[in-house]
Every structure is written in structure tokens, then in C-alpha cells.
Amino acid sequence: MAPERPSIEKFSIHVSEAVLEDLRRRLDATRWPDQPAGGNWELGTDLDYMKSFAAHWRHRYDWRAAEAALNQLPQHRIVLDGLPIHFVHVRGRGAKPLPLIVSHGWPGCFAEMTKILPLLTDPAAHGGNARDAFDVVVPSLPGYGFSGIPATRGMGGFAIAGLWARLMAELGYERFGAQGGDWGATISTALGLEHPKHLIGIHLNFVPGSYVPHLGRGLPEPTDEELGYLDAIRAWRGAEGAYNQLQSTKPQTLSYGLNDSPIGLAAWIVEKFRTWSDCDGDLEHCFTKDELITNVMIYWVTQTIASSMRIYNEARRRPLQFDAAQRVTPPVGVAIFPKEIPMPPRSSVERGYNVAHWSIMPKGGHFAAMEQPALLAEDIRRFFRTLR
């Protein structure tokens, strides 16, 4: 007798008033730290900015409006291996939409993709061609947002890739494309390594930070450009990588403060949006306060900051490994945004990936789907056009 297939249920967000009232109380009771004169953002999240952010959050931001907007998206949940997985599933408007699973990263969430969804699912309504339409699936990673929190360790990029392959099969997609940045790039890469027969192609707007190509006897020596990248990423990690070191080694210790203080949580997340985006130091050049707060709220109301950070520890325990026998064989497209965290050159990426498309973008940073949705959507469409 065949095992019973998991059911897919419709899902909508509703946060209780008690949770919102508790949040208001905590915001009102914030104990602000000191900051030396002229510190600005040099020492971390700026005090004056956070006070203005808190005032907006407490007195002007409307979660119910944000909740209603998110609930306009067709959301569902499915239980896989005992773990509820939340996902958005928007079917494309075109003759034969291509299935595409889009994975977010940290400190983002599924809501990052709200601007890009209509551009991918209904390109004809946004100046594109209906032949480029996608059926788009945007899951919340396990331990993020409205997906379940894993009760045991082991839910790293490879395990998530296995869940994504099963999710797409349950939705009726035998073969599909994958797209992602940040941890979404790691998960998409893991799909390409362990589930290549299901992949039409992979589009990345970030090359995983743990990517180390195979170098060995009989292979070309590293180029000057590749060695320069290694120097650049070492310098970046020295200046900006403390969060990664902490989240990959002792995430539980950090989680007590972030899960208890909404301002602590916001300060930890917002600083990354400023540092990693193409905003020239002005956060609101790229994002509105409401957009930033909605992202923070999804972590707050679901109490998932602790579980979200554990993926860093999982990656430390099982990093991406490339060797002479292991390579991402499905076609891969890469979009390089200029203010992204340092990215390896094409020659380095080609050592581990079957690179078929390489784009240098004119502007944008780490949160490309929010910062430059039109540019990212067009590059995704262009890459997959030849694979349909």
C-alpha cells in the first residue's frame, strides 16, 4: 500500500492582538544604550536612527495593513517529514509557465519576493513577454517565518534542498528551475549537486560564501583575479564577518537577547540591510521603514530568530564541498550586483558550476529582489529563455 501523500492546506497570517500588545509594551520599555559622539554607524547600528525607527514602528507602522497585503498572496502549508513548510505559490500567466522555486536567505524572509513575483508570473503585464512566465514557489525556510521550527539539528542547506525537491514533486513539477541569493544560493547549489535530474537550470544572485572550488593536480592554478578575490573576502570577513562567526558557533547565546527585545532584534537585522545594500549609507534610499519593519515583524511574531540563525551552524558542520567528482551540472546563470558581498570571479565559479550565463548588473546589492526587482527579474527571464 502506497504511503499517504501529504496534504496541502491554504494558509493565511493572523497574529493575535495579545502578541501585538506585548510588542507595544516592550517597545515602550526599551532601555537604550549609550553611543559616543560621532559614532554614527561605524560601531554598529546608529542610536539616532534606531530611535526614529522605533518611533515609526510604535506610532505609525500598521501591522494589520501589512498582514492584509501579505495575505493577498496565495499561501499554503504542507507537512514534510513532520515539519510544516509554509510557501507562496503563484501560477504564471502564459502558454507554458516554467516552474521556479525561489529561496530567500538571512536576515530576509519570503516577503522579500513580493516585488519580483508579479514580474516573473505575469511578465506581459509589466512590459515583458508572456512566453517568459513562471509558476513561482517561494517557501519559508525551515525555522523561518511561518514554517515549522526543526526540533533537532541537521537542517542545513542539503536537507532543505531535499525538502524543496519533495515540495516541487508534490506540486506536480517533475523538473523545475531554482533561484536564490544568500542561503537561497546555497540551497539552490545543493539542489544542483544532489538532485540534478530535477533541475532545468539554476539562477543565482550570490555565490555561497562557503564556496571553495576544487584545486588539485591537473587543474589550472588560481589566476591573479581568483587570488585577489580570496584577499578581498578575507578583508571583508575581518571587517564585517563577526555576525557569521557568532551565528555559526554560538547562535543560542545570541538568541536570548534578540528573541526578548524587539529593538535588539531590529538593530541586528537592520544593520545588515544597510551594510549589504546599494544604499550609499542611507537605508531609506533602498527600503522604506515599513518594508524593514515588516521583515523584522515576521521574525518577531513567529519567534524564529534563534532557529533562523542555526543554519549558519549547520553550514559549519556540513559546508559545501566541491572536488574533482562533484560539480553542479545543470546550467547556471549568475547575476553580479555591484554592492554585493565580495563574489568570486567567473573563472573560479566555473571550477564548480556549469556556468552558462554571467551578468554584470549596473546597480543593486545583496537584497536584489527588493532593491532592483526589475533588473533581477529580467536577468532570470533571459537566462531561462534558452532552457524552456
Side-chain angles (χ1 to χ4, degrees):
M1 184 175 179
E4 186 177 347
R5 294 183 62 181
S7 62
I8 296 173
E9 299 180 351
K10 291 184 177 181
F11 178 85
S12 61
I13 303 165
H14 180 74
V15 176
S16 73
E17 192 58 34
V19 169
L20 300 181
E21 182 55 38
D22 175 69
L23 170 62
R24 290 188 282 266
R25 179 185 63 78
R26 290 170 186 262
L27 289 172
D28 288 340
T30 299
R31 295 200 312 171
W32 295 101
D34 71 293
Q35 178 173 296
N40 299 323
W41 289 86
E42 185 178 345
L43 299 175
T45 311
D46 180 66
L47 180 61
D48 288 341
Y49 182 80
M50 279 311 300
K51 286 184 175 180
S52 71
F53 187 93
H56 186 93
W57 194 356
R58 178 65 179 86
H59 301 292
R60 290 180 288 281
Y61 176 77
D62 184 349
W63 165 253
R64 291 301 183 204
E67 186 179 66
L70 291 172
N71 281 335
Q72 293 300 305
L73 299 172
Q75 298 171 73
H76 309 269
R77 287 219 297 190
I78 184 173
V79 178
L80 299 174
D81 292 341
L83 188 69
I85 299 297
H86 164 260
F87 63 97
V88 173
H89 186 196
V90 183
R91 296 192 181 275
R93 296 191 174 189
K96 193 176 181 182
L98 188 151
L100 180 69
I101 188 164
V102 179
S103 302
H104 67 82
W106 186 94
C109 65
F110 79 97
E112 275 186 79
M113 309 306 166
T114 53
K115 294 179 183 177
I116 202 170
L117 272 168
L119 306 181
L120 294 175
T121 57
D122 192 7
H126 300 88
N129 193 312
R131 290 194 297 268
D132 288 331
F134 296 86
D135 282 353
V136 180
V137 178
V138 182
S140 294
L141 272 56
Y144 285 70
F146 300 99
S147 283
I149 295 175
T152 59
R153 299 173 72 179
M155 190 56 71
F158 289 96
I160 297 171
L163 290 177
W164 279 195
R166 288 184 58 196
L167 170 62
M168 294 302 275
E170 292 295 338
L171 293 174
Y173 301 126
E174 181 180 352
R175 299 187 73 235
F176 54 89
Q179 201 284 327
D182 197 84
W183 288 111
T186 296
I187 294 161
S188 298
T189 296
L191 278 165
L193 289 171
E194 297 204 334
H195 307 274
K197 68 180 182 180
H198 298 297
L199 270 293
I200 296 167
I202 298 168
H203 185 279
L204 307 175
N205 57 283
F206 180 70
V207 174
S210 61
Y211 171 63
V212 178
H214 179 59
L215 298 170
R217 182 179 297 179
L219 295 175
E221 292 294 316
T223 66
D224 289 344
E225 191 179 16
E226 289 170 345
L227 293 173
Y229 159 73
L230 295 176
D231 289 340
I233 197 63
R234 276 192 292 267
W236 184 88
R237 285 171 179 161
E240 301 289 347
Y243 81 97
N244 190 312
Q245 182 71 6
L246 183 54
Q247 293 183 178
S248 64
T249 57
K250 305 294 183 185
Q252 190 66 25
T253 304
L254 178 62
S255 70
Y256 293 102
L258 301 188
N259 195 62
D260 191 57
S261 166
I263 292 300
L265 175 66
W268 191 251
I269 288 175
V270 162
E271 188 264 324
K272 299 309 172 198
F273 274 84
R274 179 182 182 274
T275 303
W276 299 346
S277 68
D278 190 5
C279 69
D280 293 324
D282 179 3
L283 254 173
E284 291 168 44
H285 177 71
C286 289
F287 317 104
T288 66
K289 280 191 175 77
D290 279 3
E291 288 174 328
L292 294 168
I293 293 169
T294 294
N295 184 75
V296 173
M297 283 288 292
I298 290 171
Y299 283 87
W300 180 260
V301 301
T302 58
Q303 296 194 57
T304 51
I305 188 59
S307 52
S308 76
M309 294 188 296
R310 285 198 284 271
I311 194 171
Y312 286 82
N313 182 259
E314 298 297 345
R316 185 183 183 91
R317 297 169 68 208
R318 188 187 176 187
L320 287 175
Q321 298 274 324
F322 289 79
D323 56 35
Q326 191 170 39
R327 175 181 172 82
V328 177
T329 54
V332 176
V334 181
I336 305 290
F337 286 84
K339 295 301 177 71
E340 180 57 274
I341 294 166
M343 296 264 280
R346 180 168 184 166
S347 61
S348 179
V349 178
E350 286 177 336
R351 294 175 185 269
Y353 293 79
N354 176 21
V355 177
H357 172 96
W358 188 271
S359 295
I360 305 299
M361 311 305 284
K363 54 187 175 181
H366 191 70
F367 304 96
M370 291 178 72
E371 295 179 60
Q372 298 297 335
L375 288 177
L376 179 60
E378 176 52 31
D379 201 68
I380 294 168
R381 293 195 297 247
R382 189 162 60 246
F383 167 65
F384 280 104
R385 197 171 290 148
T386 62
L387 304 177
R388 289 174 179 269

